[in-house]
Structures are given as structure tokens and as C-alpha cells.
Amino acid sequence: MSPSPGDLVLDAQDLHKTFHTGRGGLRRARVSAVDGVSVQLRAGESLGIVGESGCGKSTLARMLVGLERPDSGSIVVNGRDVTKVRGRDRRLLRADVQMVFQDPYTSLDPRMTVLELIGEPLVVHNRVTGAAARRDRVAELLGLVNLAPELMHRYPHQFSGGQRQRIGIARALALEPRVLVCDEPVSALDMSVQAQVVNLLRDLQQRMGIALLFIAHDLSVVRHVADRTAVMYLGRLAEVGDTDTVYDEPAHPYTQALLSASPVVDRNRRRLASRIMLAGDPPSPSDPPSGCRFHTRCRFQQSRCAEQTPSLRPLGERTVACHFAEEVRQAASATS
């Protein structure tokens, strides 16, 4: 049964993931990549995840699609926690959450034709029987991403980067997922091609009613794609809310700094009056600061920030993990 618009299709709660670095006689370190992150997605909704490199965005994405197992927390798909099922049941549930990878040059097996690449999940999950039915379904999927069906017998090296990413999208759609996780899907593409792929994803989302989780460094792309935006810093969520609200009235100091560094093309869009330069270097994920992880670089920080970890609290139409979110928001409004 297909979800209705607005139905909760993905509910991830309090996810944690720690990696251990170092081997043999080398000093081992614990890196907290994701620390207590919760995200929800409803049918037809798009959620953007932004933050600097190393903040945990890709680790979060890999946990949601089952490529990494969380140390703790739950990921509920279709009302069932996929972290608590095994074998065939887990594989069936995972078919509802598919991924579009960052690099279209390495995510496609060069030894397989497009027919084999897109058709493989159909065979593995027993969605089609017979070669003719598989070809027909692959032709249909290629049409969805605006590629000619007769291209199915070619190999990845015979396509451009934008075409390869379209093939990756078609493969992700093969099982008719309810959630599509896109991890930097346009960062490896030329600027002229990025808009085409982003517009294709938006069009497919609207036509198929799927939920879209979109990770990107380019804040302007996220604003174009996402209904809601979540800002991550050093493994935790700093701010989550309606995209226009987060972009126009940022209430976390890190969100303000991130947006101040992003150029604004649309003159009708508000932005901070001047660039916010953060003090010091980013902390190491293996040795994060106490309390608020951003306090060592924050211009609003007080003693409380180093002592108490802020939780996500409601502020208007968004939630913010900052002890002084209202003051920060007002300061941003006064200078924009």
C-alpha cells in the first residue's frame, strides 16, 4: 500500500555512530561521527542536510540506507524498526530506502551494462520474472530519467557524468522506494549539469510522491530542493526547521556563520549583513568540546555553554540547540 501525502515514512530517533581509528601499536581514537541525531520524513517531503565536511552527514545517510549499522537508536520504516530485523525481512524493508551516491564515476560497475546495473535490484528482490519483463522495466526507468531506452546496452564509460548520475537515479528508483537518500548527488558534476539533475529529482519526487533526503555543501541547491533544512555540526543537529525560516532568520550561531559565507543570487532573499568569521580551528571529532560543541568558536558563548549540552528546543517554526537561540535570532534580524 502506497503512503498518502503527509504520512510518516521514515522516523530515525537518537542515532549514534562511533568509529575507532588507529591500528596495531598506534594510539586508537574514538571518533563520534553521529551523536544523538533524530530525523523524520513524510511522504512527498524533502529534507536538506547541510554542514561542513566531517560533521556526520554522510554517516547519517549511510545508516539510514543500511550501509552502516548504528551503535544505538532506531530507524523505523513502514512502522517497523529496521535495526531489529534480520535476513529477508530486513532486505524487504530496506528496499523502501534507496540511495543516490555522490560520485557517478565510481558508483556504477564499469563491467556491467546499463541493463544489468538497473536490472540487478529487480532480480535480487524478485520484482520481475523473465528477461523481457526486465528489459521493459529498465526501459521504463530510463524514460523516467530522460534517457533513451536503446542506451540500456551500453557501458558506463560511454556516458557523461550527468548521464551516469541519471542512471544511478534510475537504479535507485527501480524498487519504487518511499525514501530517496541523495548524498551530494551533484557535487561531482559540472555546474551546467547540476541544475538539470536537481530539477529531475524534484520532478520525480512530485510525480512519484517519494520523500527526499538531500545532502549538499551548496546551500543554494538545498534551498531550491528542500522543504525543511537540518544543520549539522560535529555530529549533532544545530537547527532544524522550515527552509525559508532557517535561511532568512537563522537562530543558531553556526547556521548564521554558514549562511554568511554563502553568496546570494536572488536580491529578494535576505542575508546577513556581513561575513561572520569563526575564531580558531574546528575541534577534532575524536576530542569534541564539552557542553555545546560549537562554543569554542561562538561569538555568543558564555560559561553555561561549556558546561551544559543544549538540546533541540522549539523556537517558532523550528528547533534550535542553543541556550541563547532567541537572542541570536534577534541579533541576526537586527543586522540583516
Side-chain angles (χ1 to χ4, degrees):
M1 181 178 177
S2 299
S4 301
D7 286 353
L8 189 64
V9 292
L10 175 69
D11 185 11
Q13 292 293 326
D14 198 25
L15 296 179
H16 293 257
K17 184 65 180 180
T18 299
F19 296 100
H20 297 272
T21 64
R23 292 182 179 179
L26 298 177
R27 180 177 177 271
R28 290 177 62 82
R30 297 176 69 255
V31 177
S32 179
V34 174
D35 187 9
V37 170
S38 300
V39 294
Q40 297 79 38
L41 269 171
R42 298 185 179 277
E45 179 188 33
S46 54
L47 172 66
I49 307 286
V50 300
E52 59 196 278
S53 296
C55 71
K57 305 185 301 296
S58 291
T59 300
L60 173 62
R62 291 175 66 84
M63 285 193 290
L64 294 178
V65 299
L67 295 177
E68 296 282 356
R69 186 178 294 276
D71 298 332
S72 62
S74 63
I75 303 174
V76 177
V77 180
N78 299 336
R80 295 183 65 187
D81 188 347
V82 298
T83 64
K84 295 181 179 176
V85 294
R86 297 290 183 271
R88 182 175 180 273
D89 288 340
R90 180 180 176 83
R91 187 168 67 251
L92 290 174
L93 283 172
R94 278 301 173 201
D96 281 328
V97 185
Q98 292 291 299
M99 190 169 191
V100 177
F101 294 91
Q102 177 178 1
D103 189 351
Y105 294 92
T106 59
S107 61
L108 302 178
D109 190 330
R111 297 166 297 181
M112 299 173 70
T113 65
V114 171
L115 173 61
E116 293 169 328
L117 286 164
I118 299 177
E120 185 177 38
L122 299 172
V123 174
V124 171
H125 289 265
N126 297 315
R127 294 294 180 91
V128 296
T129 56
R134 180 166 60 110
R135 284 194 299 271
D136 289 344
R137 178 58 177 156
V138 170
E140 180 184 0
L141 289 164
L142 286 173
L144 279 176
V145 298
N146 301 325
L147 290 176
E150 55 266 25
L151 298 176
M152 70 174 68
H153 299 293
R154 295 187 181 182
Y155 290 87
H157 74 271
Q158 297 175 284
F159 296 91
S160 67
Q163 289 174 321
R164 293 188 198 194
Q165 196 61 297
R166 290 172 185 267
I167 294 168
I169 294 170
R171 180 178 60 181
L173 294 175
L175 300 177
E176 300 180 336
R178 298 189 178 190
V179 180
L180 197 61
V181 176
C182 302
D183 185 10
E184 300 272 5
V186 297
S187 63
L189 304 178
D190 293 339
M191 290 294 295
S192 59
V193 181
Q194 289 185 8
Q196 298 174 20
V197 175
V198 168
N199 289 333
L200 172 64
L201 286 168
R202 286 291 283 172
D203 179 60
L204 290 170
Q205 179 197 21
Q206 294 168 5
R207 289 164 58 187
M208 303 175 69
I210 57 178
L212 189 68
L213 189 141
F214 193 95
I215 295 173
H217 278 97
D218 190 329
L219 297 178
S220 62
V221 171
V222 173
R223 180 156 202 171
H224 178 68
V225 171
D227 303 313
R228 292 188 299 123
T229 296
V231 181
M232 286 189 71
Y233 181 79
L234 214 60
R236 293 177 179 168
L237 292 177
E239 186 166 357
V240 184
D242 173 81
T243 293
D244 285 340
T245 300
V246 170
Y247 275 64
D248 291 339
E249 297 182 356
H252 193 284
Y254 176 64
T255 309
Q256 289 186 3
L258 200 63
L259 291 171
S260 78
S262 176
V264 175
V265 177
D266 187 346
R267 294 183 178 180
N268 295 319
R269 296 293 191 185
R270 297 174 56 190
R271 68 162 296 158
L272 298 179
S274 60
R275 174 76 183 272
I276 298 172
M277 302 300 294
L278 298 179
D281 296 323
S284 170
S286 62
D287 186 24
S290 60
C292 174
R293 292 190 171 180
F294 187 63
H295 84 266
T296 57
R297 307 173 74 193
C298 181
R299 58 194 177 124
F300 296 95
Q301 72 92 17
Q302 299 183 27
S303 58
R304 177 185 179 187
C305 302
E307 299 166 357
Q308 300 177 16
T309 301
S311 57
L312 283 169
R313 296 179 299 162
L315 179 66
E317 297 182 357
R318 101 288 293 282
T319 55
V320 190
C322 178
H323 295 304
F324 307 104
E326 180 59 36
E327 293 89 333
V328 173
R329 186 193 64 80
Q330 291 176 357
S333 298
T335 58
S336 61

